[in-house]
Amino acid sequence: MTGIRLTAPAPGWAIDADVVVVGSGVAGLTTALRCAAAGLATVVVTKARLDDGSTRWAQGGIAAALGEGDTPEQHLDDTLVAGAGLCDEAAVRMLVTEGPDAVRRLIDTGAHFDTTDEGDIALTREGGHHRRRIAHAGGDATGAEISRALVEAVRGAALRIVENALVLDLLTDAEGRTAGVTLHVMGEGQHDGVGAVNAPAVVLATGGMGQVFSATTNPAVSTGDGVALALRAGAEVSDLEFVQFHPTVLFLGAGSEGQQPLVSEAVRGEGAHLVDASGIRFMVGQHELAELAPRDIVAKAITRRMQEQDADHMYLDARHFGAEMWEQRFPTILAVCRSHGIDPVTEPIPIAPAAHHASGGIRTDLAGRTTVPGLYACGEAACTGVHGANRLASNSLLEGLVFAERIAADIATTRPRAGEAVLGDAATVPLLSPETRLAIQRTMTRGAGVLRSAESLAAAAAGLEELHRGAVERAGAESAKTAEPGVEAWEATNLLLVARVLVAAARRREETRGCHWREDRPERDDAGWRRHLVVRIAPDRGLVVRRTDTEAFGPVRASGAADCAATSTTHPTPEEP
């Protein structure tokens, strides 16, 4: 354990449970439903309202080998290719094999997918898929439908729910096992302010960390809270350098920041073309799948074309769809575009890449277990080995679904024992002022965005270090005004931690692979870098970056088991000067 916690008041109230699930997307709610069905007293903690999880923003769909002629083996092949040599094949095989039945159970839970005239599930294609295997709902509102079904099921199961609650830190017992979480509830009512949920099993399904960049498809609540909590608790994270930038995000003008509207890859799956201002299809000839190449390839091609033409965006042309197809197949995207003064029926859509999905996260095994006993992770917050260096389109909802079921099964089987939480004399993290969030985002966008180099990453590391040192110095000065504990300060502090770990890994990986594009190291180096980078905060609070010996994901062991790996390097801790 690191002995590091966020600066926060002591818990003023507590709830007891068998398991606490943090997050209300497909991963969190599926885990909660399965745990409750197994007779476990389950509490769901969510940062906003129950139906505000990241899942509801998903447009394209959920990938599974459901169509005639498709097989899990073909789905596996497409996933491995997209992952650029770093997928864990055992994890992928499990995902694609168990995926179809998991989708059917989701349908049994109440989710309604679009169907053909014959009553079969309608399937489309997205980037990297050689077959139509993407099930969708409401045309382009798949996430909203899945969220609706799961929220209704959770409410029907009468699970205990704590909404508007930011999770703070992990509670552990005297043996270092999970004993629950501390959290801050934003609002008035039965639970208000800082409290605790005491439970021997904690499942982190907190979503992504897209808010570490200036422009992202992620909602404002995606501040990497679960990954930051896990790091402070001593858990390992892996592959954090692989951040997927979605190629086609609605371009709202130079300097636009915050959450940006997504234009689903399914639009390209149905035949839309990527073009420049002259109408030239620049993806033709660059990849066998052209516009449907894996996302990292498309994002790089768009960025290169923008550089060549000194432009800040490209275009997605789907005028040939016609009004009827736009209105029936992509009603949500059509409405969003029109709300910004763009009519896809009559004009190309301006697009540019934006941060979308973290392929890495909290390192887990095939049962979702992390390196901290009793702590589990799933969904975007986790690194299961499925995505490798680049997530295959629409595998994210499936990953959350499949691993949620496996986590619930493991908890129900092992029935983790309860231990009394020991707070101890933890060192507190100097909090950042809320306005620091903007500085972090701009620093990361400049230095660790789609294009990276040793120089840009060094500048990003220096900028983040300056922000950290400023917080440390203010905390140590008697007359200085320090940031007060609160949601915005905690979020900014979490963002700084995950940003620093991401940059440390990106600086270490001296090659271009998948989502990680190094201009100064443009080639993929399988001999030296077909390896995973594993990061943790050591007991002495130093940041340890370890490179695995092979491309295999490797077993997930209790914290500290890999401390003596020969390839480890120690960096200044993100929490100490």
Side-chain angles (χ1 to χ4, degrees):
M1 306 304 292
T2 66
I4 302 172
R5 297 184 185 278
L6 289 171
T7 301
W13 51 270
I15 300 172
D16 293 327
D18 294 324
V19 56
V20 54
V21 178
V22 186
S24 59
V26 62
L29 295 186
T30 301
T31 303
L33 284 170
R34 299 294 183 267
C35 285
L40 295 161
T42 305
V43 173
V44 177
V45 173
T46 183
K47 195 173 181 181
R49 303 292 295 178
L50 191 64
D51 58 357
D52 281 340
S54 294
T55 291
R56 75 182 183 95
W57 297 99
Q59 294 175 344
I62 184 167
L66 297 165
E68 184 178 355
D70 196 6
T71 64
E73 196 70 24
Q74 293 176 69
H75 190 181
L76 179 141
D77 289 343
D78 285 346
T79 301
L80 295 180
V81 170
L86 280 185
C87 295
D88 180 68
E89 187 168 340
V92 178
R93 189 171 297 280
M94 186 200 75
L95 178 85
V96 301
T97 302
E98 298 181 9
D101 283 342
V103 172
R104 296 183 183 101
R105 284 189 289 273
L106 180 62
I107 293 171
D108 291 340
T109 301
H112 301 293
F113 290 95
D114 297 336
T115 57
T116 65
D117 292 340
E118 292 75 30
D120 299 322
I121 296 176
L123 301 172
T124 189
R125 278 183 68 195
E126 291 185 357
H129 293 272
H130 282 79
R131 283 190 174 271
R132 286 182 171 265
R133 66 167 65 95
I134 316 300
H136 48 84
D140 56 358
T142 310
E145 170 57 19
I146 291 174
S147 180
R148 179 205 61 77
L150 291 173
V151 167
E152 285 188 8
V154 165
R155 293 201 187 281
L159 295 181
R160 191 160 191 174
I161 302 163
V162 182
E163 297 179 300
N164 301 311
L166 171 64
V167 67
L168 300 176
D169 280 301
L170 190 72
L171 293 171
T172 56
D173 63 17
E175 297 178 3
R177 292 187 54 84
T178 293
V181 291
T182 55
L183 64 159
H184 173 81
V185 178
M186 301 165 265
E188 299 178 357
Q190 181 182 3
H191 305 299
D192 187 21
V194 176
V197 180
N198 299 314
V202 171
V203 182
L204 297 176
T206 51
M209 55 184 186
Q211 288 292 325
V212 79
F213 294 96
S214 296
T216 177
T217 62
N218 290 191
V221 295
S222 298
T223 50
D225 306 315
V227 174
L229 176 152
L231 280 163
R232 287 193 296 272
E236 292 181 342
V237 302
S238 186
D239 300 348
L240 219 62
E241 67 272 30
F242 297 118
V243 177
Q244 186 176 84
F245 284 76
H246 198 287
T248 54
V249 176
L250 185 62
F251 180 73
L252 299 180
S256 295
E257 296 181 322
Q259 186 179 9
Q260 312 286 300
L262 177 67
V263 181
S264 171
E265 195 155 3
V267 178
R268 281 176 281 139
E270 296 291 353
H273 302 144
L274 284 166
V275 298
D276 60 19
S278 300
I280 297 173
R281 287 182 62 189
F282 55 87
M283 282 303 301
V284 175
Q286 294 205 34
H287 191 276
E288 61 168 337
L289 295 176
E291 281 92 353
L292 287 178
R295 286 180 179 172
D296 63 311
I297 294 172
V298 179
K300 291 172 187 176
I302 291 172
T303 304
R304 285 194 187 102
R305 195 70 163 190
M306 287 162 53
Q307 288 179 325
E308 291 168 1
Q309 300 187 350
D310 194 24
D312 50 18
H313 65 281
M314 290 286 114
Y315 294 91
L316 186 64
D317 192 352
R319 290 174 290 181
H320 54 285
F321 284 4
E324 184 178 355
M325 180 173 175
W326 265 111
E327 290 164 1
Q328 293 183 0
R329 180 68 178 87
F330 300 110
T332 306
I333 298 170
L334 178 63
V336 169
C337 287
R338 284 177 170 171
S339 73
H340 289 282
I342 301 157
D343 189 352
V345 177
T346 61
E347 60 186 317
I349 304 169
I351 54 90
H356 181 57
H357 189 276
S359 293
I362 308 162
R363 190 165 175 263
T364 75
D365 63 11
L366 297 185
R369 293 174 293 221
T370 75
T371 52
V372 176
L375 179 65
Y376 297 78
C378 63
E380 192 174 352
C383 183
T384 62
V386 161
H387 302 311
N390 178 47
R391 175 179 67 97
L392 180 65
S394 287
N395 267 357
S396 53
L397 291 176
L398 189 70
E399 182 197 32
L401 191 63
V402 168
F403 277 84
E405 292 187 341
R406 294 183 70 85
I407 287 173
D410 188 74
I411 295 173
T413 300
T414 60
R415 299 276 171 167
R417 60 178 177 79
E420 184 175 351
V422 178
L423 293 177
D425 297 323
T428 55
V429 178
L431 298 181
L432 274 68
S433 59
E435 57 268 22
T436 307
R437 177 172 178 153
L438 191 59
I440 295 170
Q441 293 170 332
R442 291 176 176 175
T443 297
M444 290 295 289
T445 297
R446 286 193 303 268
V450 178
L451 301 178
R452 301 169 178 176
S453 66
E455 183 179 0
S456 75
L457 290 167
L464 298 174
E465 177 64 20
E466 184 178 353
L467 293 174
H468 171 65
R469 286 195 177 278
V472 171
E473 290 169 1
R474 285 190 297 274
E478 294 183 5
S479 60
K481 183 179 179 181
T482 58
E484 292 295 324
V487 172
E488 292 180 335
W490 289 321
E491 286 183 332
T493 304
N494 284 339
L495 281 173
L496 181 62
L497 174 54
V498 297
R500 293 182 64 162
V501 174
L502 190 161
V503 169
R507 294 182 75 184
R508 179 79 184 273
R509 182 173 291 280
E510 297 180 341
E511 65 158 356
T512 288
R513 181 184 299 271
C515 300
H516 177 65
W517 188 8
R518 287 280 298 260
E519 292 182 285
D520 56 329
R521 295 285 190 273
E523 301 302 323
R524 173 169 152 177
D525 178 8
D526 280 349
W529 285 105
R530 194 177 176 188
R531 309 284 189 272
H532 298 275
L533 290 176
V534 180
V535 186
R536 63 181 177 80
I537 300 175
D540 64 358
R541 301 177 199 159
L543 187 66
V544 177
V545 182
R546 173 173 62 89
R547 180 167 58 173
T548 59
D549 294 331
T550 70
E551 70 275 11
F553 203 57
V556 173
R557 300 182 290 267
S559 296
D563 288 2
C564 59
T567 54
S568 295
T569 56
T570 302
H571 298 264
T573 172
E575 311 302 351
E576 294 292 306

